[in-house]
Amino acid sequence: MIDLLTSGLSVVFAPQMFILIIFAVFLGTLFGALPGVSATMAVTLGIPFTYKMDAVNAIAFLVAIYCASITGGGMTAILFKIPGVPSSAPTTYDGYPMAQRGEAGKALGMQLICSAIGGIFAAICMLLLSPQLTQAALSFGPSELFAISFMGLSILTSLETDNICRTIISGLIGLMLACIGLDPLLGVPRLTFGTRFLTSGIEMIPVMIGFFAVTEVLKQTNKPSKLQSVGDGKEGKMTAQMPSLKEILSVKWIIARCSVLGTVIGILPGAGATIASFLCYSTEQKISKTPEKFGTGCLEGIAAPETGNNAATGGSMVPLLSLGIPGGNAAAIMMSALVLKGVTMGPLLLINQPQFLSATFASMFVSNIIMVFAAIVIAKIFVQVLKIPYSILGPTIIMMATIGAYATKNTSVDVILMAISGLIGFVFVTCKFNSSAMILGLVLGVICESNLRRAYTIADGATLMEATANIVTRPVTGIILIICLIVLLNPVVKPLLAKKKEGAA
């Protein structure tokens, strides 16, 4: 193990490679902060830089970009309510309200520290437990993956406990939008209304940009022309001030739980940082003693998703390096880059070439430390933008959103989709519906449906009831679904029990 660790550090701390890692961190943070540039796209944009590198250095470079891009996405989520990457969407729930209160520095500081801790924890798990974690991931079938993604949907009844009906309707609209496009199993067009533009489904990034960025600009148009300062009120300075030790310790158990949960979700093939982020946020809201604080601007609501999505980056590398199975889209791009360099992916990779594991670990470990300092520098630049009068900043945000939507697939259809989503999002807010619930349904709907149908396809049973019984009686699936049921019904049953108790008294 010591030899493996030494080997990895020698790769990363070679003078030329160390400079490239620093460059990769700045590049990834910048890519992640740009609206519409997902972590997958950031890794793809970094591939041309690896053409002259050997395979070990290439994966170290791409991993640094991957980790940094996930962190960069949280910065614009906090400052502008624009998720730089899809996994940063839950960060907007509490990060942006804190920025509006003038606590952007504290929010950014917590985001950076939690991102670094989550990434480092996942890297250590990857180094020490890679083979064992891979075997555990392989025991998860479609039914378990459905149960996990459904657990993420169970947050719907807790997003707005005072408005459960509208929140559930919003989530159902998101699930309906997730059904548009080709059937995931049969390839038959659904709800496309005869147009080829909808055959690939509703693209998540343009919709997310529209619902968060465009809607927010429309809301701000009736407000004063200049935003409230998002600094800390100290001589007008706007910096990514680190939270105090007391504030970090107040969320220590959240960081610990979400580091573990994010790593586990990242290991599951096809799950990735987005599910980890939503699931960590929903889980922490459920078990919190003060769930009403979530969504109003609290540090707990930033710590949970940012720890989870960064922990998922390390988890997604475990099946890639151990079995040649990418844990997510970004990992699949890295796999393609390594295959182009003649690397044979599979179970024998770590036996014959263990330096790939050591280089990946060292790169993730060092990148997450460098990333804090790089993100502070970039955050200082981004925060200064908020001093601009909103009459200028608003159109600038719309321009950035338009570029981000177009960059997704280089098609004007996504720009139109973004604009429509922004208008619908404004109507949602005006009518007291929940746009976050709609996004949650859209993100997790496809994963829920495809895994549930696969589970029924492979389940034994002559009838639907028998197949259902065989699915829910699987130990992991059954336990998770019971938890989901309790979580879904808790906000409804709890007030009824309270009223009954008051009546008896």
Side-chain angles (χ1 to χ4, degrees):
M1 183 59 68
I2 298 298
D3 293 339
L4 200 62
L5 186 60
T6 306
S7 171
L9 293 175
S10 65
V11 171
V12 172
F13 283 107
Q16 185 179 359
M17 193 62 209
F18 187 65
I19 293 171
L20 285 172
I21 291 290
I22 295 175
F23 172 68
V25 170
F26 274 92
L27 196 66
T29 306
L30 185 61
F31 282 156
L34 294 173
V37 182
S38 63
T40 305
M41 192 182 297
V43 173
T44 304
L45 294 172
I47 286 178
F49 294 99
T50 67
Y51 286 158
K52 290 190 176 181
M53 298 181 191
D54 62 48
V56 175
N57 288 342
I59 193 169
F61 181 82
L62 294 175
V63 163
I65 291 180
Y66 180 33
C67 294
S69 65
I70 296 292
T71 300
M75 291 164 50
T76 46
I78 291 170
L79 297 177
F80 307 117
K81 204 179 180 182
I82 304 176
V85 292
S87 62
S88 298
T91 308
T92 62
Y93 304 159
D94 291 274
Y96 188 70
M98 287 188 70
Q100 288 186 308
R101 290 203 306 260
E103 298 176 341
K106 189 181 292 185
L108 286 169
M110 180 60 74
Q111 183 241 342
L112 297 176
I113 288 175
C114 291
S115 296
I117 294 173
I120 290 172
F121 176 84
I124 294 172
C125 287
M126 180 185 66
L127 180 70
L128 299 178
L129 305 171
S130 192
Q132 294 87 340
L133 291 174
T134 302
Q135 292 303 316
L138 289 177
S139 65
F140 276 63
S143 60
E144 286 80 12
L145 291 175
F146 160 73
I148 288 174
S149 53
F150 187 71
M151 184 184 288
L153 284 173
S154 65
I155 188 181
L156 286 175
T157 54
S158 298
L159 282 175
E160 283 189 49
T161 52
D162 297 333
N163 197 3
I164 292 178
C165 185
R166 281 193 176 96
T167 304
I168 291 176
I169 291 172
S170 303
L172 292 174
I173 291 173
L175 289 173
M176 183 188 71
L177 292 176
C179 294
I180 294 175
L182 295 177
D183 184 288
L185 265 64
L186 304 177
V188 178
R190 303 181 305 186
L191 303 175
T192 58
F193 305 103
T195 173
R196 62 184 178 86
F197 297 114
L198 293 176
T199 52
S200 59
I202 298 294
E203 193 67 38
M204 181 172 56
I205 292 177
V207 171
M208 202 172 288
I209 292 173
F211 263 83
F212 287 112
V214 178
T215 299
E216 187 60 31
V217 171
L218 293 174
K219 284 169 58 182
Q220 293 286 351
T221 51
N222 294 325
K223 294 185 178 181
S225 60
K226 191 170 183 179
L227 279 176
Q228 178 186 3
S229 171
V230 295
D232 298 314
K234 297 179 180 178
E235 301 176 358
K237 291 184 179 179
M238 297 183 182
T239 60
Q241 175 187 329
M242 291 295 170
S244 66
L245 181 61
K246 183 179 179 181
E247 288 169 329
I248 296 172
L249 292 177
S250 69
V251 296
K252 61 181 182 296
W253 296 116
I254 291 178
I255 294 173
R257 287 190 294 266
C258 292
S259 294
V260 175
L261 184 58
T263 302
V264 172
I265 297 300
I267 292 170
L268 302 176
T274 303
I275 289 183
S277 180
F278 276 105
L279 191 57
C280 286
Y281 186 90
S282 63
T283 302
E284 290 304 323
Q285 187 182 33
K286 298 295 183 185
I287 65 177
S288 173
K289 294 179 180 178
T290 54
E292 67 278 359
K293 287 170 54 180
F294 282 76
T296 62
C298 63
L299 291 175
E300 293 88 343
I302 296 174
E306 288 299 319
T307 304
N309 61 19
N310 279 270
T313 60
S316 66
M317 300 305 295
V318 171
L320 174 66
L321 295 172
S322 299
L323 294 172
I325 301 171
N329 293 332
I333 299 296
M334 291 184 213
M335 179 177 174
S336 302
L338 292 177
V339 170
L340 287 174
K341 290 186 175 293
V343 178
T344 303
M345 306 300 294
L348 296 178
L349 177 66
L350 296 185
I351 297 173
N352 298 331
Q353 296 174 291
Q355 61 268 33
F356 278 97
L357 176 62
S358 60
T360 302
F361 162 76
S363 177
M364 292 188 73
F365 192 87
V366 173
S367 298
N368 278 287
I369 295 173
I370 297 173
M371 181 176 64
V372 176
F373 301 99
I376 289 174
V377 173
I378 296 174
K380 286 181 179 180
I381 299 170
F382 272 78
V383 172
Q384 299 305 315
V385 176
L386 293 181
K387 290 181 178 179
I388 301 172
Y390 208 80
S391 57
I392 299 173
L393 183 60
T396 304
I397 292 174
I398 293 291
M399 182 187 71
M400 290 171 59
T402 303
I403 294 171
Y406 183 79
T408 307
K409 293 190 299 186
N410 294 332
T411 172
S412 59
V413 174
D414 287 333
V415 178
I416 296 171
L417 181 60
M418 178 207 72
I420 294 172
S421 300
L423 293 172
I424 294 174
F426 184 70
V427 173
F428 258 57
V429 172
T430 305
C431 298
K432 307 297 183 184
F433 282 90
N434 195 304
S435 56
S436 299
M438 201 284 295
I439 292 294
L440 187 67
L442 177 62
V443 170
L444 299 181
V446 176
I447 301 167
C448 275
E449 181 202 1
S450 58
N451 282 302
L452 179 62
R453 291 177 61 186
R454 288 190 186 99
Y456 273 106
T457 301
I458 63 177
D460 294 326
T463 64
L464 183 64
M465 289 298 295
E466 288 181 13
T468 303
N470 288 329
I471 289 172
V472 298
T473 52
R474 290 173 65 93
V476 176
T477 305
I479 291 170
I480 295 175
L481 288 177
I482 290 171
I483 294 172
C484 291
L485 190 62
I486 294 170
V487 165
L488 278 169
L489 296 178
N490 182 57
V492 179
V493 175
K494 196 173 180 181
L496 295 177
L497 293 176
K499 286 182 180 179
K500 188 175 181 181
K501 191 174 181 181
E502 288 174 6

